[in-house]
């Protein structure tokens, strides 16, 4: 707690009044620089041994649109060993349940419009979720891919962000005279009521899950796994298990897994082995999720971008779709891959297939991606499950079945050039049926 107290007193934007970041605000450059200092300070606490470990992830990046691409890159570059990624799918997935937060409620509470504090380069469509996932994650060839295309790990997570659980009967108590959050640092003690209270969140693991590859249990081991990119996420408990390996056909052994890199030569033939264990029990909604298809997404790796605000990766697209509807138990998909002229990365995405359309950048890039979450489509039903990234089971339901789950990175490199095969397990999910601190400038 001492570390967190020091951090907040020195770097919390609200406490310091460093809460402006718009183009017209005079202190924007100072505030952005202070956020970079905050990340460097956290990294120094880890290097000095003051704290065993620390990780930073950008929280719901496009809910307000205040995290610009150049800021995300500046945070990553300040200390890539601790600034490891972003929240690919926000909490508050129950926000769209009918009757709770109003007719315009959207999964993740992504109900905002661009403001004076938002980065002006984001389109209006970026402020809603797609299959429950942030636009930055859900868009093939979008912001997340533009960062992966630089050849560096940048992982995603999903979490509950649990403030108030849907259907819970507990409510915040009443403040005693003279007390408030600012002078106490906490909310009043909860009190039980006789009826369900409005809420947007599910219990941790109930709907959203972040799966991390470790060799033994422990907080440090989990954090090391996150740092190494051994991560996949899903919603709605779409899968029981997932294992991804990439290897050259001429090599022995299992190859590299999520977050790994493989050195290859032009023309080398590779095989991407995706071992899926389907859901074996109903989720919290009482629905047994079924994986319908798995997408393989490939992007060129070309190093650091000249435009730090670039959010497009024009050479990233879906290159293979495997229809797996009806398959049960554990099975392995073997996807052939050929090394080309330049380094590249791979990532995966899955869905229950109940609802999808052309991706945000068009069918030639993503023929069946998640579509925008719309209040009008929400019905009480199951939720999406995602494969390569967190999954969840909940009461939240909509007819959307496309999901962005987890992304696991596999890196592939040539003997002379690096082919980053980052197999990021994107989400495989269906809509029907977690020390992370981010320095903020505001």
């Amino acid at each position: 707690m001492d570390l967190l107290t020091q951090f907040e007193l020195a770097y919390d934007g609200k406490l310091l009044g460093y809460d402006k970041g718009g183009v017209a605000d005079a202190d924007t450059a100072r505030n952005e620089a202070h956020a970079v200092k905050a990340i460097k300070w956290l990294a120094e606490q880890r290097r000095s041994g003051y704290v065993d470990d620390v990780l930073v992830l950008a929280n719901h990046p496009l809910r307000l649109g205040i995290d610009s691409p150049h800021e995300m890159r500046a945070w990553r570059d300040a200390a890539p060993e601790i600034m490891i990624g972003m929240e690919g799918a926000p909490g508050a997935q129950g926000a769209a349940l009918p009757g709770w937060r109003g007719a315009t409620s959207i999964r993740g509470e992504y109900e905002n419009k661009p403001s004076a504090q938002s980065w002006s380069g984001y389109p209006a469509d970026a402020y809603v979720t797609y299959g429950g996932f942030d636009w930055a994650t859900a868009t093939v060839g979008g912001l997340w891919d533009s960062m992966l295309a630089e050849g560096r790990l940048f992982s995603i997570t999903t979490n509950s962000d649990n403030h108030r659980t849907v259907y819970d009967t507990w409510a915040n108590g009443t403040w005693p005279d003279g007390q408030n959050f600012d002078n106490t640092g906490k909310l009043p003690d909860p009190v039980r009521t006789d009826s369900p209270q409005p809420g947007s969140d599910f219990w941790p693991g109930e709907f959203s899950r972040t799966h991390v590859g470790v060799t033994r249990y422990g907080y440090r081991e989990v954090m090391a796994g996150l740092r190494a990119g051994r991560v996949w996420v899903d919603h709605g408990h779409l899968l029981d298990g997932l294992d991804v390996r990439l290897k050259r056909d001429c090599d022995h052994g299992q190859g590299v897994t999520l977050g790994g890199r493989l050195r290859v030569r032009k023309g080398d033939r590779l095989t991407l082995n995706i071992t899926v264990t389907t859901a074996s029990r109903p989720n919290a909604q009482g629905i047994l999720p079924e994986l319908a298809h798995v997408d393989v997404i490939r992007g060129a790796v070309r190093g650091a971008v000249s435009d730090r605000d670039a959010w497009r990766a024009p050479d990233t697209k879906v290159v293979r779709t495997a229809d797996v509807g009806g398959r049960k138990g554990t099975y392995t998909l073997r996807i052939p891959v050929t090394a080309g002229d330049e380094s590249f990365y791979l990532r995966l995405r899955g869905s229950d297939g109940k609802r999808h359309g052309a991706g945000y950048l068009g069918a030639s890039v993503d023929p069946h991606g998640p579509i925008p979450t719309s209040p009008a489509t929400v019905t009480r039903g199951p939720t999406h499950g995602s494969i390569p990234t967190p999954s969840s089971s909940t009461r939240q339901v909509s007819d959307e079945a496309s999901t962005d789950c987890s992304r696991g990175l596999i890196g592939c490199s040539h003997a002379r050039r690096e082919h980053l095969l980052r197999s990021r397990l994107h989400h495989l999910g269906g809509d029907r049926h977690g020390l992370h601190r981010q320095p903020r400038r505001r």
Side-chain angles (χ1 to χ4, degrees):
M1 293 301 295
D2 178 58
L3 176 73
L4 296 180
T5 299
Q6 292 182 55
F7 178 82
E8 291 184 351
L9 291 175
Y11 299 106
D12 187 285
K14 289 183 178 179
L15 289 178
L16 298 174
Y18 287 18
D19 56 354
K20 301 298 182 184
V23 175
D25 294 310
D27 293 330
T28 294
R30 178 202 66 181
N31 297 346
E32 291 184 2
H34 200 68
V36 171
K37 290 179 182 178
I39 293 175
K40 290 181 176 180
W41 183 84
L42 285 172
E44 179 56 33
Q45 308 317 302
R46 177 174 179 264
R47 280 193 293 269
S48 69
Y50 185 79
V51 63
D52 291 333
D53 208 348
V54 60
L55 296 176
V56 180
L57 296 106
N59 207 26
H60 40 64
L62 267 298
R63 179 180 286 172
L64 296 172
I66 60 176
D67 297 342
S68 64
H70 73 263
E71 288 176 278
M72 300 269 278
R73 289 184 166 96
W75 301 338
R76 177 203 62 191
D77 294 349
E81 72 278 14
I82 69 165
M83 177 61 193
I84 63 166
M86 64 183 180
E87 186 183 46
Q93 291 285 319
L97 285 168
W100 292 107
R101 300 185 67 253
T104 60
S105 295
I106 290 176
R107 291 173 64 178
E109 295 182 3
Y110 273 46
E111 299 144 15
N112 302 291
K113 303 297 181 184
S115 73
Q117 302 302 309
S118 304
W119 182 63
S120 61
Y122 288 133
D125 294 333
Y127 290 80
V128 299
T129 48
Y130 289 69
F133 278 72
D134 191 284
W135 172 86
T137 299
T139 302
V140 174
L143 178 56
W144 188 29
D145 284 312
S146 75
M147 298 188 73
L148 296 180
E150 295 185 53
R152 304 173 69 175
L153 277 168
F154 201 73
S155 298
I156 64 166
T157 62
T158 186
N159 61 55
S160 64
D161 197 7
N162 193 292
H163 292 251
R164 294 180 179 85
T165 304
V166 293
Y167 305 114
D168 201 353
T169 58
W170 289 86
N172 287 344
T174 303
W175 288 112
D177 292 342
Q179 292 188 12
N180 55 44
F181 182 83
D182 289 339
N183 62 31
T184 66
K186 65 176 184 178
L187 294 172
D189 292 339
V191 296
R192 185 182 291 278
T193 70
D194 295 328
S195 58
Q197 300 294 302
S200 300
D201 310 315
F202 296 108
W203 294 114
E206 183 185 1
F207 181 77
S208 300
R209 300 187 302 182
T210 298
H211 306 259
V212 182
V214 298
T215 55
R216 62 179 181 175
Y217 292 112
Y219 292 110
R220 296 186 197 179
E221 287 74 18
V222 170
M223 294 174 79
L226 285 165
R227 178 176 289 110
R230 298 191 297 268
V231 184
W232 63 274
V233 306
D234 70 348
H235 280 165
H237 295 204
L238 182 62
L239 298 178
D240 278 2
L242 180 71
D243 183 79
V244 181
R245 307 279 174 167
L246 179 71
K247 65 182 293 292
R248 297 194 307 166
D249 291 353
C250 62
D251 290 341
H252 299 291
Q254 293 183 312
V256 298
T257 188
L258 302 179
R261 299 186 180 213
L262 187 66
R263 294 184 68 81
V264 301
R265 295 181 182 276
K266 178 181 178 180
D268 277 355
R269 294 184 177 182
L270 321 170
T271 298
L272 178 63
N273 294 305
I274 307 166
T275 300
V276 173
T277 301
T278 61
S280 59
R281 54 194 178 278
N283 60 25
Q285 179 64 22
I287 295 166
L288 181 64
E290 296 184 15
L291 180 65
H293 63 256
V294 176
D295 297 321
V296 178
I297 298 165
R298 177 170 175 163
V301 172
R302 292 173 178 159
V305 294
S306 57
D307 179 5
R308 302 277 285 179
D309 273 324
W311 63 262
R312 294 280 300 272
D315 292 300
T316 297
K317 63 180 180 179
V318 176
V319 296
R320 178 77 175 261
T321 295
D323 294 322
V324 296
R327 300 186 70 168
K328 305 292 185 183
T330 299
Y331 57 86
T332 298
L333 303 173
R334 294 176 174 83
I335 310 298
V337 177
T338 300
D341 289 327
E342 55 187 342
S343 298
F344 61 99
Y345 68 92
L346 299 175
R347 65 179 177 86
L348 307 179
R349 179 182 66 188
S351 171
D352 65 2
K354 299 255 187 312
R355 184 187 178 110
H356 56 257
Y360 182 77
L361 295 179
S364 63
V365 174
D366 185 7
H368 41 68
I371 65 174
T373 299
S374 167
T377 65
V378 175
T379 60
R380 192 174 295 269
T383 77
H384 287 349
S386 295
I387 250 196
T389 171
S391 103
S392 67
S393 67
T394 56
R395 297 173 92 153
Q396 142 154 27
V397 181
S398 97
D399 286 332
E400 311 171 7
S402 60
T403 62
D404 290 315
C405 275
S406 85
R407 319 228 171 179
L409 209 54
I410 293 179
C412 215
S413 327
H414 283 296
R416 301 190 177 106
R417 15 181 97 103
E418 251 184 22
H419 271 50
L420 288 184
L421 276 176
R422 305 207 152 189
S423 189
R424 296 237 157 214
L425 291 185
H426 194 173
H427 47 266
L428 300 175
D431 251 358
R432 281 194 42 120
H433 300 286
L435 176 68
H436 116 216
R437 272 262 344 140
Q438 177 191 353
R440 302 285 299 179
R441 62 173 186 223
R442 6 217 169 271

